[in-house]
Amino acid sequence: MKVLIAGASGFIGSSLVPLLRDEGHDVVKLVRRKPRADDELSWSPGSGIIDFTVMDRVDAVIDFSGANLARLPWTPGYRREILDSRIEATRTLTDAMRQARTPPAVFLNASASGVYGDRPAELLTEESPPGDGFLAGVVTRWEDQARLAPEETRTVMFRSGIVMGDGGAMQRLSLLTRFGLGARLGTGGQHWPWISLLDEVRAIRHLLVESKLSGPVNLAGPTPATCDRIAHALAERMRRPYAFTIPEPVLGTMLGQAADEMLLASAKVVPSRLLGDGFEFVHTTAEAAIDAMLSGEPTRVPA
């Protein structure tokens, strides 16, 4: 397949691109600067600028674009950037697809488990409605924009949990733990959706190559885990202390809204559609995903 990728140099994209190329797929990367290689194409999503004719020449589009949610604190200006960076990129891609004579057969658009909000008493599948809060609103609008892709394009919104690898939220948590600052956050009983980096890229590859699914798909490990279980396992494996608790009011004072929506929110997300589609996880527990992350286990393995 010929695959156009926005955000190819990011945390997840930089692991997915080698996996696809190892399998013989032709990857074209969208860049926001002048192209420096034959496999690059310039675009400006903030201005809605892209050569829409590229959509006639590719089989699939994958969009990872969006400001980093792990960057804290969320000032009013950064909250606007979180929303705009996602809407503008996805809109630019779907607009270009609709102008193509032969639109891509597949569109995979990144999404987030934050769409479910704080739902501590529920088991959350793709059938669960969106929750409340800033992140839930962002993801809902983001997915609505992805749905504007042409009808003939199979469109998937993959709702990722915390990706356990050398990047994103886990990179920050690992750094704090390394300096002996690992701690229980609030009660620690809140569920954090998680997935190993290896299974994240394998699942995206599955949705691209093997699946016929469309609509929302949860990318989360099959065994739910609490914040306390994840943070304690990380400290234990890094041989660092895990001896104190940061109360919820302190987190709120330090991080504001981001604390409530990213650290203290509880969402027991299960990958119902992915499992039903025949996908098999390599890392079925959060502890196994943490072991893989700390060992530097490669992501370029046969899918």
Side-chain angles (χ1 to χ4, degrees):
M1 301 175 71
K2 189 165 187 175
V3 186
L4 181 69
I5 300 183
S9 62
F11 170 40
I12 299 169
S14 59
S15 292
L16 178 65
V17 169
L19 177 64
L20 294 180
R21 285 180 169 163
D22 283 352
E23 292 189 344
H25 302 292
D26 184 5
V27 175
V28 178
K29 298 181 286 187
L30 286 171
V31 297
R32 306 186 192 208
R33 50 169 171 75
K34 186 176 179 179
R36 298 172 186 161
D38 292 340
D39 65 348
E40 294 183 343
L41 180 71
S42 181
W43 75 322
S44 177
S47 304
I49 297 173
I50 188 174
D51 177 6
F52 72 88
T53 64
V54 69
M55 296 300 178
D56 287 309
R57 306 191 299 271
V58 298
D59 303 298
V61 178
I62 305 177
D63 177 24
F64 292 108
S65 298
N68 187 0
L69 294 177
R71 174 183 153 185
L72 302 173
W74 291 350
T75 63
Y78 195 62
R79 286 200 299 271
R80 171 55 57 181
E81 185 177 346
I82 287 172
L83 175 62
D84 289 349
S85 62
R86 286 161 171 77
I87 298 297
E88 290 167 353
T90 304
R91 177 188 297 138
T92 299
L93 293 171
T94 55
D95 283 351
M97 288 182 215
R98 290 197 304 274
Q99 295 180 66
R101 293 191 303 268
T102 55
V106 184
F107 177 38
L108 305 183
N109 199 67
S111 184
S113 59
V115 70
Y116 299 112
D118 183 20
R119 312 269 278 279
E122 299 180 49
L123 191 66
L124 300 166
T125 72
E126 292 87 350
E127 300 298 323
S128 303
D132 299 320
F134 169 70
L135 273 184
V138 167
V139 177
T140 298
R141 292 181 61 182
W142 191 14
E143 292 188 352
D144 285 345
Q145 195 63 55
R147 290 186 178 95
L148 297 179
E151 289 185 7
E152 58 266 47
T153 299
R154 178 172 65 87
T155 300
V156 179
M157 293 79 73
F158 54 94
R159 295 172 172 174
S160 298
I162 296 171
V163 180
M164 292 190 173
D166 189 19
M170 285 303 295
Q171 185 178 47
R172 294 173 181 268
L173 186 60
S174 297
L175 182 62
L176 290 172
T177 303
R178 182 172 292 113
F179 286 103
L181 299 176
R184 178 178 292 108
L185 304 178
T187 67
Q190 63 272 31
H191 280 88
W192 280 2
W194 63 271
I195 186 170
S196 71
L197 177 58
L198 174 60
D199 282 328
E200 173 84 0
V201 298
R202 289 179 63 252
I204 294 169
R205 180 259 176 208
H206 172 85
L207 293 169
L208 175 68
V209 177
E210 297 179 351
S211 179
K212 296 187 182 301
L213 291 177
S214 61
V217 178
N218 291 338
L219 265 57
T223 309
T226 62
C227 161
D228 187 51
R229 175 174 165 181
I230 291 171
H232 184 268
L234 182 64
E236 184 177 59
R237 283 154 173 76
M238 296 181 73
R239 300 180 181 177
R240 295 294 187 271
Y242 186 73
F244 61 95
T245 298
I246 304 178
E248 292 184 13
V250 175
L251 287 168
T253 300
M254 293 169 55
L255 302 175
Q257 187 178 19
D260 291 332
E261 300 216 13
M262 288 196 65
L263 302 179
L264 300 174
S266 183
K268 189 184 289 188
V269 178
V270 291
S272 295
R273 299 192 73 202
L274 197 58
L275 290 173
D277 202 42
F279 182 79
E280 296 182 1
F281 285 83
V282 172
H283 303 119
T284 58
T285 66
E287 290 83 357
I290 290 170
D291 288 340
M293 177 183 73
L294 295 179
S295 69
E297 180 178 306
T299 57
R300 292 175 66 175
V301 301

